[in-house]
């Protein structure tokens, strides 16, 4: 994929590491390569161990293996952040899971909101965790928790509600930059300035229509220091709903500039931003789509099965399959000395293998191979030396 291209000198990309397991893997790699020493290119990390997490939809525990992409190093604001969002957009577009939306926010903006609403610094984190529930709960439920469980004043919570229920794009950012209270908060101003710059880059990438600046997005992990984002799949509009509704988060991430330095003995700061892709949820959605469509899915990349109707032709099959492998053809055969032709062809149908290269006594004598299209049962004689070329032509058409 094009997003695995090399990174400019001075930083490193870490594809498919583990953000959530960062202390075990990613952070050690980053700490070993501080920003002035990080090699150009891609740093490959150890495969992360699965995590035990909850599947909110089914309300039970499942193993989750996050697949991440992170960029570490000192760069100008919002350029790597925008690329992470571009990567999420590319992945979800390519997988064709359905309509999606990527929500973005900034922890500095949230903290600024809490400050101007009169929330003490000591309650920022717990308030943030409660706001994060707005993607599943109503504002009234969230408000009730803030007042009843967190001990916040109803007046302060109402002020928070005026902000965290807002979502939009550049227009909303401009509106908040003019907000008489929020514009006076240093953190909020910084966050809004970067958010405006981010949307300018996303517009240049051509993906701004899939991005929503959503002040309710909080993401509970407290190591985020700047922009945060979450990708959700949308359920289509229907007669009873004016807007599409979320059917679940499939990716999330953000900027965590202060985390890596905790694992560097010299405490050097290594700015980082990354995204985690929810592989299990994506697989689950894809499986549901396949089941609903009733379509047959290939379970192998094999292009051709080397088969024979003859007994004692194992040596012939081995020689032919070796020729195909050497020509770059993805071929296989049954691991039996004398398999029945019917069983070999049935295997092709069961596994979704499109072609069968059949060789018998007559084909061997004439220097040809009978190439069978499994779906249509069409058969054609191909000179043996042109077999690989013919297979390649048919599978690419």
């Amino acid at each position: 994929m094009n997003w695995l291209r090399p990174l400019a000198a001075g930083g490193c990309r870490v594809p498919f590491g583990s953000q959530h397991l960062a202390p075990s893997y990613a952070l050690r790699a980053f700490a070993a390569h501080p920003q002035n020493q990080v090699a150009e290119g891609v740093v490959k990390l150890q495969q992360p161990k699965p995590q035990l997490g909850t599947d909110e939809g089914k309300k039970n525990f499942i193993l989750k293996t996050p697949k991440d992409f992170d960029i570490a190093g000192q760069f100008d604001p919002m350029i790597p952040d925008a690329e992470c969002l571009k990567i999420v957009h590319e992945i979800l577009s390519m997988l064709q899971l359905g309509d999606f939306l990527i929500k973005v926010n900034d922890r500095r903006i949230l903290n600024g909101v809490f400050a101007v609403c009169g929330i003490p610094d000591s309650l920022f984190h717990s308030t943030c965790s409660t706001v994060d529930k707005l993607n599943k709960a109503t504002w009234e439920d969230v408000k009730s928790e803030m007042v009843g469980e967190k001990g916040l004043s109803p007046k302060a919570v109402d002020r928070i509600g005026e902000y965290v229920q807002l979502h939009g794009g550049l227009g909303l950012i401009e509106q908040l930059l003019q907000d008489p209270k929020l514009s006076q908060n240093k953190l909020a101003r910084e966050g809004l300035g970067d958010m405006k710059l981010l949307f300018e880059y996303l517009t240049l990438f051509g993906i701004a229509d899939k991005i929503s600046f959503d002040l309710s997005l909080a993401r509970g992990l407290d190591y985020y220091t700047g922009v945060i984002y979450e990708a959700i799949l949308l359920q289509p509009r229907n007669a009873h709903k004016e807007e599409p509704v979320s059917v679940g988060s499939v990716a999330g991430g953000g900027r965590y500039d202060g985390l890596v330095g905790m694992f560097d003995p010299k405490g050097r700061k290594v700015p980082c931003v990354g995204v985690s892709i929810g592989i299990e949820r994506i697989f689950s959605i894809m499986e549901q789509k396949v089941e609903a469509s009733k379509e047959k899915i290939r379970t192998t990349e094999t292009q051709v099965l080397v088969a024979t109707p003859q007994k004692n032709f194992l040596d012939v099959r081995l020689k032919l399959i070796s020729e195909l492998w050497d020509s770059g053809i993805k071929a296989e055969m049954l691991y039996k000395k004398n398999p029945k032709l019917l069983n070999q062809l049935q295997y092709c149908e069961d596994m979704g293998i499109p072609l069968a290269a059949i060789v018998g006594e007559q084909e061997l004598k004439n220097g040809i191979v009978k190439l069978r299209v499994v779906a249509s049962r069409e058969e054609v004689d191909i000179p043996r030396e042109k077999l690989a070329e013919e297979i390649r032509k048919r599978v690419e058409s």
Side-chain angles (χ1 to χ4, degrees), residues 3 16 48 62-63 85 95 111 128 132 172 179 200 206 229 240 244 252 273 278 293 295 317 342 353 376 393-394:
W3 44 267
F16 302 138
I62 60 172
L63 285 177
L85 291 169
L95 291 176
N111 288 345
C128 187
D132 199 38
L172 176 58
D179 183 282
E200 290 173 359
Y229 36 80
H240 306 291
V273 63
S293 68
E295 65 177 301
R317 286 189 292 144
L342 184 62
I353 300 173
S376 66
K393 185 190 305 181
R394 286 176 178 264

Side-chain angles (χ1 to χ4, degrees), residues 292-349:
S293 68
K294 306 292 184 183
E295 65 177 301
K296 187 175 179 64
I297 298 298
R298 288 188 62 191
T299 58
T300 177
E301 292 187 357
T302 301
Q303 298 167 326
V304 62
L305 181 81
V306 174
T308 181
Q310 304 290 145
K311 288 187 176 182
N312 303 317
F313 254 48
L314 176 60
D315 57 340
V316 176
R317 286 189 292 144
L318 288 172
K319 187 171 182 180
L320 179 56
I321 199 171
S322 179
E323 292 172 6
L324 293 175
W325 286 340
D326 290 344
S327 298
I329 299 297
K330 298 174 182 177
E332 65 175 288
M333 65 179 212
L334 296 191
Y335 297 143
K336 290 187 176 182
K337 287 185 177 180
N338 298 305
K340 293 181 179 179
L341 181 60
L342 184 62
N343 291 344
Q344 295 170 83
L345 297 177
Q346 185 62 50
Y347 179 80
C348 287
E349 292 189 10

Side-chain angles (χ1 to χ4, degrees), residues 211-381:
I211 313 293
S212 172
F213 173 38
D214 192 324
L215 273 80
S216 70
L217 179 64
R219 294 193 63 78
L221 298 175
D222 59 4
Y223 57 70
Y224 289 119
T225 57
V227 66
I228 50 178
Y229 36 80
E230 183 170 280
I232 59 173
L233 295 183
L234 299 176
Q235 184 173 291
R237 294 179 177 87
N238 58 44
H240 306 291
K241 296 184 181 295
E242 295 181 0
E243 295 184 357
V245 296
S246 168
V247 293
S249 170
V250 291
R255 176 160 288 280
Y256 52 105
D257 289 346
L259 189 59
V260 174
M262 295 167 55
F263 296 86
D264 180 10
K266 296 184 179 180
R268 289 166 292 197
K269 184 178 180 181
V270 182
C272 302
V273 63
V275 60
S276 175
I277 308 297
I279 296 297
E280 274 80 9
R281 172 157 288 184
I282 288 176
F283 280 175
S284 176
I285 293 167
M286 294 176 74
E287 287 172 355
Q288 291 171 23
K289 289 186 67 175
V290 169
E291 290 174 3
S293 68
K294 306 292 184 183
E295 65 177 301
K296 187 175 179 64
I297 298 298
R298 288 188 62 191
T299 58
T300 177
E301 292 187 357
T302 301
Q303 298 167 326
V304 62
L305 181 81
V306 174
T308 181
Q310 304 290 145
K311 288 187 176 182
N312 303 317
F313 254 48
L314 176 60
D315 57 340
V316 176
R317 286 189 292 144
L318 288 172
K319 187 171 182 180
L320 179 56
I321 199 171
S322 179
E323 292 172 6
L324 293 175
W325 286 340
D326 290 344
S327 298
I329 299 297
K330 298 174 182 177
E332 65 175 288
M333 65 179 212
L334 296 191
Y335 297 143
K336 290 187 176 182
K337 287 185 177 180
N338 298 305
K340 293 181 179 179
L341 181 60
L342 184 62
N343 291 344
Q344 295 170 83
L345 297 177
Q346 185 62 50
Y347 179 80
C348 287
E349 292 189 10
D350 293 343
M351 300 300 291
I353 300 173
L355 300 171
I358 304 172
V359 57
E361 287 183 354
Q362 194 62 45
E363 287 80 14
L364 186 62
K365 180 180 177 181
N366 296 337
I368 62 172
V369 175
K370 194 177 296 294
L371 191 62
R372 179 185 176 104
V373 179
V374 176
S376 66
R377 302 186 179 182
E378 169 199 356
E379 293 182 345
V380 58
D381 291 338

Side-chain angles (χ1 to χ4, degrees), residues 9-296:
C12 70
R13 278 196 181 89
V14 183
F16 302 138
S18 174
Q19 175 180 327
H20 299 291
L21 299 179
S24 300
Y25 298 107
L27 297 189
R28 290 179 185 172
F30 289 156
H33 302 278
Q35 59 196 43
N36 60 341
Q37 299 175 13
V38 175
E40 177 179 336
V42 174
V43 176
K44 293 184 177 179
L45 295 184
Q46 210 170 332
Q47 177 69 25
K49 296 179 181 178
Q51 297 172 271
L52 187 62
T54 57
D55 184 336
E56 294 83 357
K58 297 182 180 179
K59 297 188 182 301
N60 54 15
F61 283 95
I62 60 172
L63 285 177
K64 296 182 177 181
T65 306
K67 298 295 184 182
D68 292 15
F69 180 95
D70 300 86
I71 299 175
Q74 187 72 50
F75 302 103
D76 287 340
M78 296 296 105
I79 298 176
D81 309 67
E83 184 172 0
C84 283
L85 291 169
K86 173 66 171 173
I87 289 167
V88 176
H89 185 278
E90 285 184 10
I91 291 172
L92 296 182
S93 298
M94 183 174 56
L95 291 176
Q96 298 180 347
L97 300 174
D99 197 15
F100 64 89
L101 183 70
I102 304 173
K103 297 181 179 182
V104 297
N105 198 3
D106 193 297
R107 274 296 179 82
R108 294 167 296 176
I109 299 174
L110 269 180
N111 288 345
V113 167
F114 297 153
V116 301
C117 291
I119 306 301
D121 292 0
S122 60
L123 295 179
F124 276 12
H125 178 63
S126 61
T127 304
C128 187
S129 298
T130 306
V131 168
D132 199 38
K133 298 178 182 179
L134 271 174
N135 65 332
K136 302 182 184 72
T138 66
W139 168 245
E140 290 304 317
D141 291 335
V142 169
K143 177 180 177 180
S144 177
E145 180 176 327
M146 285 184 177
V147 175
E149 297 181 24
K150 308 296 183 183
L152 303 181
S153 72
K155 187 175 180 181
V157 172
D158 286 336
R159 286 199 294 267
I160 292 174
E162 294 174 5
Y163 288 106
V164 299
Q165 296 182 81
L166 298 173
H167 58 88
L170 270 172
L172 176 58
I173 298 170
E174 295 286 2
Q175 174 188 326
L176 293 176
L177 282 169
Q178 302 302 317
D179 183 282
K181 294 182 179 178
L182 206 56
S183 61
Q184 300 304 309
N185 182 274
K186 182 175 181 293
L187 273 180
R189 281 200 314 275
E190 291 176 357
L192 287 167
D194 280 349
M195 188 64 64
K196 181 179 179 181
L197 186 59
L198 177 65
F199 264 82
E200 290 173 359
Y201 295 151
L202 297 175
T203 300
L204 293 173
F205 279 149
I207 63 172
D209 62 322
K210 288 293 186 181
I211 313 293
S212 172
F213 173 38
D214 192 324
L215 273 80
S216 70
L217 179 64
R219 294 193 63 78
L221 298 175
D222 59 4
Y223 57 70
Y224 289 119
T225 57
V227 66
I228 50 178
Y229 36 80
E230 183 170 280
I232 59 173
L233 295 183
L234 299 176
Q235 184 173 291
R237 294 179 177 87
N238 58 44
H240 306 291
K241 296 184 181 295
E242 295 181 0
E243 295 184 357
V245 296
S246 168
V247 293
S249 170
V250 291
R255 176 160 288 280
Y256 52 105
D257 289 346
L259 189 59
V260 174
M262 295 167 55
F263 296 86
D264 180 10
K266 296 184 179 180
R268 289 166 292 197
K269 184 178 180 181
V270 182
C272 302
V273 63
V275 60
S276 175
I277 308 297
I279 296 297
E280 274 80 9
R281 172 157 288 184
I282 288 176
F283 280 175
S284 176
I285 293 167
M286 294 176 74
E287 287 172 355
Q288 291 171 23
K289 289 186 67 175
V290 169
E291 290 174 3
S293 68
K294 306 292 184 183
E295 65 177 301
K296 187 175 179 64

